[in-house]
Amino acid sequence: MNNAQLDTVDHAGATPEVEQQWAALGLNEEEYGRIRDILGRRPTEAELAMYSSMWSEHTSYKSSKVHLKQFGQKTTEEMQQNMLVGLGENAGVVDLGDGWAVTFKVESHNSPSYLEPFQGAATGIGGVVRDIISMGARPVAVLDALRVGHEDHEDTARIMKGAVAGVGHYGNILGVPNIAGETDFDAVFQGNPLVNAGAVGVLRHEDLRLAQASGTGNKIVLFGARTGGDGIGGAAMSSAAFDDEGAANTPVVQAGDPLQENVIIEATLELFSKSLVEGIQDLGAAGVACATSELAASGDGGMHIELTNVLLRDEGLTAGDILMSESQERMMAVVTPDNSEAFEQIMAKYGVEYSWLGEVNDSGRLTIDWNGERIVDVDPVTVADDGPVYERPYARPASQDVLQADTFRASSAATDLPATGDELKQALIELMGSANMADRSWITSQTDSSVGGNTRQGAPNDSGVIRIDEETGMGIGLAIDCNSRYVYLDPYQGSQLAVAESYRNVATSGATPLGVSDGLNFGSPEDPGVMWQFAESTRGIADACQQLGVPVTGGNVSLYNQTVDTAIHPTPMIVTLGRYDDVTTAVPSWLHPAFDGSAIYLLGETFDELDGSQFAHLRGHLGGTPPNVDLAKEQQLAGLLSNASRTHMLDAAHDLSNGGLAGALADMVLQSGVGVRINLDYVTERDNIDAFTALFSESQARALVAVPLSEEVRFRGIAESRGYPSLRIGVVDAGSNALEIQDLFTATLDELREDWATALPKRFGN
Amino acid sequence: MSTPKIGVVMFDAATDAPSVLRAVELAGGTPVQLHPKTTVAPDVADLKVVLLPGGFSYGDYLRAGALAATQPIMRVLADAVKAEELTLIGLGNGFQVLTEADLLPGAVIANNSPGYSHTEIDFVIENNTTAISSFYDTGEHIRLVQKGAYNHYVVTEEELEALESGGNVIVRANNSTAGSAHNIAGISSDDGSVLGLLASPEYAIEEGFGTDHPDGPRLGVDGQGLFVSVVRAAGAVNNGEGVVSE
């Protein structure tokens, strides 16, 4: 770079009149003005790049902050007892006992995944894994949640093939098992798919470190991959909606190198275990700009960096480029001078490149030099923490009333509902052959679920289960869920339902839920209707978590998910983490031939709740209000389920969600090809509903369990003593090779399987 | 009774290595981690058996196994095999390293259905006289995880004929769609000193964390037999009842 053109601090001070491209960097006039006020001069180009990245929606949470506060406010002391680190750090840390702790997080990588699905999804996994290792935790599992457009739209195959392969590619080479996930197709995501990646890591209490730069004289080091031109401006991109021009002006999507990350994981964890770092931070959005300002702001407040020391992949990068680059697989650490030699030895051992960039001081300023010239001189707190905070106006859109008034039952979609046995059978076959209900093997077989050897269960189960302590069998369960259509119909209630489903899934597999992390995906916060969805959704999540007694331990917000004027359905992905004393007590969500003869019980009651259901979706209807939420019941059900599986009363347990009882029964019989005989009369009589409603309603707080005959007395006993509605509706008849609903229909497994098994491969397969 | 040492080469991103180490231990062996840059024979000298674990050595960035095959330790291991001092075994990606290193005939190419796939496969033991199969019966069916994008074994007609007639086909897949010649999944060199298996037995060694089994999900531990065979080959005194636990 030619120093003559360099926009130094002195030059900026002397040339206040220079016009700067603040708008192109995503800042508004008021924000730019504030930067000038803070600095008492115009910012240099490098400073402007830094402020614009750090004050972007993606990094600063400027529109969401005021609503996110309640997650902390609604966390009671009792809920906090298991939390070692709460909100605000890269990821919250939850105590598991015996000196073990776990940290988990979900992050969005939506816009990169639309532009370049493979790399976008791959680096989504890479980024969230680095968040985990920067807490000193070893990643033990990843998960992913995808929202894509209509299954038959021509662009959907591009997104699906790329994103699924990308998630697999990165996690597989890292050697971290993928144990949970979900995928939903809906035309509303056509131009703005969601790719959310989650990771969970395990650490010993003593290895916990927080990202901060303390201690004057400590050295700042950048290690891992070299810095290139990829992803420059990514944070700003993720803070804008795609326009009509599509991707023309957007920057290059960053490329991932999982082999490099694999090595960085080992090197980083050795740094932690040998106590060689004071603080560590991964480089994600806004790269060096973000890492230096955040580290400095959370430490003693001063830091000096020689930007010319950054190792480059491309020598042509400008100082601003280097500050903003989002090249992957990079970490920044704070190391005492005494430990610097030992640090270098670890880097040499793993063959990781590094460069010393500068040191911590007590100046209260973050200063950055480039070729001997000062290009940044700022108070880091103003960059990292004092960004704008907006109380965006929000209002319930008038269209919401129209939407809620349009109930399924009153709509034309409810004409000719299936009633006879044959009609119900055809409806079931159609439901299970639809993209949203079909077999997920095409997706899940592209990821390595067994690597590590600690996977108790992965997909297709209500939750993934991983052993953490080989001696005791202690481990965790994880589920990620959100029914975006419910949230769209009622953001408050729908978000509570997302929490309830995720919580229920973890309990169904036998774990005790401990905490949740959220990935909030919404449209533009500048639209008061979207902002209302966001406000309602966060309130719903916070209230639900408070009532269920599980704290929100961390999260991520992704706004501006929309094309021109069409926002996505609001999608707060909820990851729930639960604990097992012994993961071998976990139960699968499907029937195995070995469960032949076991009794099938339906827990919970069924009401006429078809608004927003999969059945309504099949008929192209979306309106009304989502199913009622009863968190006290959810809590009761969870207690019953985790107690029953812990005491070995259950062969299998599956929660009822998408597709209701019909969907859950079909899920259970199809995985391993095991027949059942069901009598619906008990359900229709007790709950006063018809067979169609019994099969397709999506009432909450329900689950199906398979109970071995030897355990039936005990099981009935605890269900009764807990006062939970429970009906014995049938038996497993493995040899029958059919799902028989007595007096209505018999669907052979082959009939059910044909479309179910081929729906995804025929659209997206090779 | 001393437990036999089994070398395990820790290629970068050989993601199955941790599970292979555990499997060796559960089978009564003592795993010895070997660095791929090792060029010193003494590191290998007191080992009778070395395993090349699977995964994605060097990210499979060139071809599966290609970069691993060029690592300095491979020369040391090949020399020890040639000197009839060592049995060298590749599992999964490790098989690919052995063909890339010309220590086994043939090559491994992309699956018939391209892309990574993680599945459970039924295999049949064809020859139970080798260092990886002595614990099994010939004709025994075992269920193991097979994963990766490259489990499709190809070989010339002459070599195939030689493998079959020489009894060098050890394991065949019953239901793999990878596309291998004669469904071959496991082979050995003529003298039995180099063996490869296109599967990951290390994920079928513990009840509750294994493959599917008639008695229930994840109860399948058919991979134990392979590691018991390996430990035996390394000079183990077996208690006659199978797995020697810790």
Side-chain angles (χ1 to χ4, degrees):
Chain A
M1 174 162 177
N2 185 347
N3 260 10
Q5 296 165 1
L6 192 66
D7 191 20
T8 63
V9 169
D10 287 345
H11 182 249
T15 54
E17 72 289 352
V18 168
E19 293 223 358
Q20 294 188 285
Q21 300 298 312
W22 44 266
L25 291 169
L27 292 167
N28 65 31
E29 191 163 6
E30 193 191 332
E31 290 166 346
Y32 177 67
R34 243 190 92 200
I35 296 167
R36 292 188 72 128
D37 287 348
I38 287 169
L39 295 172
R41 56 173 165 78
R42 74 164 176 87
T44 64
E45 288 304 308
E47 287 167 341
L48 186 63
M50 207 161 174
Y51 275 103
S52 69
S53 296
M54 293 301 294
W55 286 13
S56 70
E57 188 66 61
H58 185 76
T59 319
S60 76
Y61 295 81
K62 58 190 170 192
S63 302
S64 56
K65 244 181 194 167
V66 294
H67 300 283
L68 300 176
K69 267 194 232 152
Q70 58 190 318
F71 292 147
Q73 289 160 352
K74 289 177 181 170
T75 301
T76 63
E77 257 178 50
E78 195 189 341
M79 285 157 73
Q80 267 165 358
Q81 64 184 7
N82 292 322
M83 285 175 72
L84 297 178
V85 176
L87 292 163
E89 293 301 332
N90 280 341
V93 179
V94 178
D95 187 12
L96 291 176
D98 293 337
W100 291 105
V102 66
T103 181
F104 66 118
K105 189 168 190 193
V106 57
E107 282 213 333
S108 61
H109 228 215
N110 303 337
S111 29
S113 301
Y114 176 63
L115 298 175
E116 218 296 39
F118 182 89
Q119 288 298 347
T123 54
I125 294 283
V128 75
V129 165
R130 280 193 305 284
D131 267 345
I132 296 298
I133 57 178
S134 62
M135 303 293 288
R138 174 174 290 280
V140 296
V142 293
L143 48 89
D144 61 280
L146 312 177
R147 291 291 178 279
V148 290
H150 192 279
E151 58 272 21
D152 292 321
H153 188 284
E154 58 183 7
D155 196 42
T156 301
R158 174 185 74 94
I159 303 287
M160 279 298 284
K161 284 184 184 192
V164 171
V167 164
H169 170 75
Y170 207 104
N172 294 347
I173 294 180
L174 275 190
V176 182
N178 188 315
I179 60 163
E182 56 153 20
T183 300
D184 193 83
F185 300 86
D186 195 306
V188 77
F189 296 103
Q190 203 64 61
N192 200 318
L194 305 183
V195 173
N196 284 199
V200 54
V202 169
L203 67 160
R204 301 294 299 170
H205 287 189
E206 60 270 22
D207 289 333
L208 179 63
R209 298 281 186 293
L210 301 181
Q212 54 180 318
S214 298
T216 294
N218 284 345
K219 297 164 82 171
I220 306 295
V221 64
L222 183 63
F223 66 99
R226 287 180 168 233
T227 299
D230 40 355
I232 291 170
M237 169 181 79
S238 302
S239 305
F242 286 121
D243 58 22
D244 282 333
E245 303 292 311
N249 293 322
T250 45
V252 188
V253 170
Q254 53 281 52
D257 178 357
L259 176 60
Q260 171 82 258
E261 181 138 321
N262 193 303
V263 176
I264 288 175
I265 291 175
E266 297 309 324
T268 303
L269 293 177
E270 187 160 341
L271 293 174
F272 275 110
S273 70
K274 295 197 166 149
S275 296
L276 296 177
V277 286
E278 304 306 301
I280 206 158
Q281 175 141 2
D282 69 299
L283 270 66
V288 171
C290 178
T292 51
S293 57
E294 286 190 354
L295 277 171
S298 60
D300 294 347
M303 184 185 289
H304 178 70
I305 297 291
E306 289 287 342
L307 201 61
T308 21
N309 289 355
V310 172
L311 299 176
L312 300 179
R313 226 166 25 218
D314 171 1
E315 295 297 332
L317 296 180
T318 67
D321 290 343
I322 296 167
L323 280 171
M324 303 247 285
S325 163
E326 295 187 3
S327 290
Q328 301 288 295
E329 293 88 26
R330 296 181 301 161
M331 304 287 282
M332 189 173 282
V334 183
V335 181
T336 66
D338 287 351
N339 284 332
S340 58
E341 201 181 319
F343 177 92
E344 290 181 349
Q345 282 166 4
I346 304 276
M347 294 297 110
K349 173 178 169 185
Y350 288 96
V352 176
E353 284 196 304
Y354 63 92
S355 62
W356 299 98
L357 297 190
E359 59 182 47
V360 178
N361 58 43
D362 57 6
S363 67
R365 308 292 290 178
L366 169 61
T367 50
I368 299 181
D369 287 1
W370 173 258
N371 286 337
E373 305 251 30
R374 183 132 309 174
I375 56 167
V376 171
D377 184 351
V378 297
D379 175 351
V381 176
T382 65
V383 180
D385 300 334
D386 291 349
V389 176
Y390 294 135
E391 301 244 9
R392 301 265 193 204
Y394 60 89
R396 186 177 198 270
S399 58
Q400 199 72 21
D401 291 337
V402 181
L403 181 67
Q404 293 199 336
D406 175 24
T407 64
F408 173 74
R409 288 286 186 184
S411 74
S412 59
T415 51
D416 296 328
L417 289 178
T420 68
D422 203 45
E423 288 166 353
L424 290 166
K425 174 178 163 178
Q426 289 314 315
L428 175 62
I429 290 171
E430 192 193 343
L431 178 79
M432 296 315 291
S434 68
N436 283 343
M437 296 297 293
D439 185 17
R440 265 38 190 163
S441 309
W442 179 82
I443 299 171
T444 56
S445 68
Q446 294 188 50
T447 58
D448 188 345
S449 54
S450 47
V451 68
N454 287 310
T455 304
R456 164 63 186 175
Q457 64 186 34
N461 285 291
D462 287 352
S463 56
V465 180
I466 288 279
R467 175 177 60 184
I468 287 173
D469 188 330
E470 279 190 47
E471 298 289 314
T472 63
M474 186 275 289
I476 54 168
L478 278 174
I480 181 162
D481 292 288
C482 176
N483 186 325
S484 317
R485 284 177 288 274
Y486 290 173
V487 185
Y488 175 62
L489 295 180
D490 186 330
Y492 179 77
Q493 191 168 320
S495 299
Q496 293 205 316
L497 289 168
V499 174
E501 184 183 353
S502 178
Y503 171 91
R504 187 166 66 237
N505 275 331
V506 163
T508 308
S509 298
T512 304
L514 282 189
V516 312
S517 185
D518 54 27
L520 308 174
N521 306 270
F522 288 76
S524 167
E526 293 163 39
D527 175 341
V530 170
M531 211 52 222
W532 171 77
Q533 291 175 332
F534 189 81
E536 286 291 283
S537 176
T538 45
R539 189 169 68 86
I541 294 167
D543 286 351
C545 286
Q546 186 175 30
Q547 205 171 331
L548 293 170
V550 286
V552 176
T553 67
N556 171 258
V557 179
S558 170
L559 301 178
Y560 294 99
N561 290 292
Q562 62 181 71
T563 43
V564 195
D565 292 331
T566 315
I568 59 160
H569 285 165
T571 309
M573 305 277 192
I574 305 293
V575 181
T576 302
L577 176 129
R579 181 187 184 281
Y580 291 88
D581 290 336
D582 176 0
V583 293
T584 60
T585 62
V587 291
S589 309
W590 44 275
L591 298 173
H592 188 276
F595 308 157
D596 194 18
S598 291
I600 296 188
Y601 284 79
L602 172 64
L603 306 178
E605 291 169 292
T606 308
F607 307 95
D608 185 350
E609 297 185 303
L610 284 141
D611 294 351
S613 66
Q614 278 301 326
F615 187 87
H617 183 66
L618 269 188
R619 296 231 166 159
H621 183 265
L622 181 57
T625 48
N628 188 37
V629 58
D630 185 336
L631 296 166
K633 269 194 186 168
E634 297 286 358
Q635 214 165 8
Q636 260 186 303
L637 176 63
L640 173 60
L641 289 166
S642 47
N643 189 294
S645 58
R646 188 168 55 239
T647 52
H648 308 283
M649 289 183 206
L650 305 181
D651 278 336
H654 187 23
D655 95 307
L656 268 58
S657 52
N658 285 355
L661 177 60
L665 278 171
D667 278 346
M668 291 183 87
V669 300
L670 284 169
Q671 292 304 337
S672 194
V674 172
V676 293
R677 272 200 316 277
I678 299 295
N679 190 330
L680 272 190
D681 293 347
Y682 307 114
V683 185
T684 53
E685 280 162 27
R686 185 196 62 184
D687 296 339
N688 197 22
I689 48 175
D690 60 14
F692 164 74
T693 309
L695 285 170
F696 296 102
S697 165
E698 297 188 0
S699 293
Q700 302 289 297
R702 294 186 300 162
L704 280 172
V705 293
V707 183
L709 296 184
S710 59
E711 301 299 327
E712 274 200 86
V713 174
R714 273 212 303 158
F715 178 76
R716 295 173 96 114
I718 69 158
E720 263 165 45
S721 69
R722 287 166 181 256
Y724 208 79
S726 154
L727 279 179
R728 188 186 202 273
I729 61 166
V731 291
V732 180
D733 184 356
S736 74
N737 289 318
L739 168 56
E740 181 186 349
I741 309 284
Q742 286 173 357
D743 302 329
L744 281 173
F745 65 84
T746 299
T748 68
L749 298 185
D750 285 344
E751 287 175 309
L752 278 174
R753 190 182 289 113
E754 194 179 341
D755 290 346
W756 174 80
T758 56
L760 299 192
K762 85 176 175 207
R763 289 181 172 94
F764 315 124
N766 296 296
Chain B
M1 163 171 94
S2 69
T3 57
K5 289 181 187 165
I6 312 281
V8 179
V9 180
M10 306 299 283
F11 294 120
D12 284 358
T15 54
D16 297 327
S19 296
V20 167
L21 297 173
R22 176 196 285 133
V24 167
E25 270 184 34
L26 287 175
T30 300
V32 178
Q33 299 185 31
L34 299 173
H35 197 277
K37 302 275 185 237
T38 294
T39 52
V40 217
D43 278 2
V44 178
D46 62 337
L47 296 170
K48 283 190 192 163
V49 179
V50 168
L51 287 169
L52 308 181
F56 287 86
S57 57
Y58 307 96
D60 280 359
Y61 281 4
L62 181 52
R63 284 186 312 278
L67 292 168
T70 66
Q71 293 300 305
I73 195 171
M74 289 306 295
R75 173 67 62 81
V76 180
L77 296 174
D79 287 348
V81 166
K82 208 176 285 173
E84 297 180 10
E85 289 163 353
L86 185 73
T87 301
L88 184 57
I89 299 164
L91 301 174
N93 193 249
F95 185 118
Q96 296 148 5
V97 177
L98 292 173
T99 56
E100 287 286 344
D102 283 331
L103 290 166
L104 283 175
V108 183
I109 63 171
N111 298 342
N112 270 351
S113 175
Y116 180 94
S117 172
H118 178 285
T119 45
E120 290 185 9
I121 302 277
D122 281 314
F123 297 95
V124 185
I125 303 294
E126 298 280 339
N127 175 347
N128 74 341
T129 65
T130 75
I132 60 171
S133 62
S134 69
F135 184 77
Y136 301 110
D137 295 327
T138 296
E140 185 173 341
H141 285 240
I142 60 172
R143 187 176 178 88
L144 303 174
V145 168
Q146 189 182 60
K147 52 184 190 159
Y150 307 94
N151 286 303
H152 181 172
Y153 181 64
V154 292
V155 64
T156 65
E157 279 300 325
E158 298 77 49
E159 285 170 326
L160 183 59
E161 172 56 30
L163 282 172
E164 291 286 6
S165 61
N168 294 345
V169 175
I170 313 166
V171 180
R172 233 183 277 277
N174 229 8
N175 58 347
S176 170
T177 55
S180 294
H182 293 193
N183 283 322
I184 287 171
I187 57 170
S188 84
S189 59
D190 284 336
D191 63 356
S193 62
V194 182
L195 303 120
L197 177 68
L198 286 167
S200 305
E202 61 275 15
Y203 300 112
I205 55 164
E206 282 183 278
E207 280 195 10
F209 304 88
T211 48
D212 194 47
H213 187 274
D215 291 344
R218 299 243 171 222
L219 294 177
V221 292
D222 293 344
Q224 283 181 344
L226 183 138
F227 293 98
V228 173
S229 304
V230 168
V231 171
R232 268 187 190 165
V237 183
N238 192 273
N239 66 7
E241 290 169 354
V243 179
V244 185
S245 56
E246 286 173 88

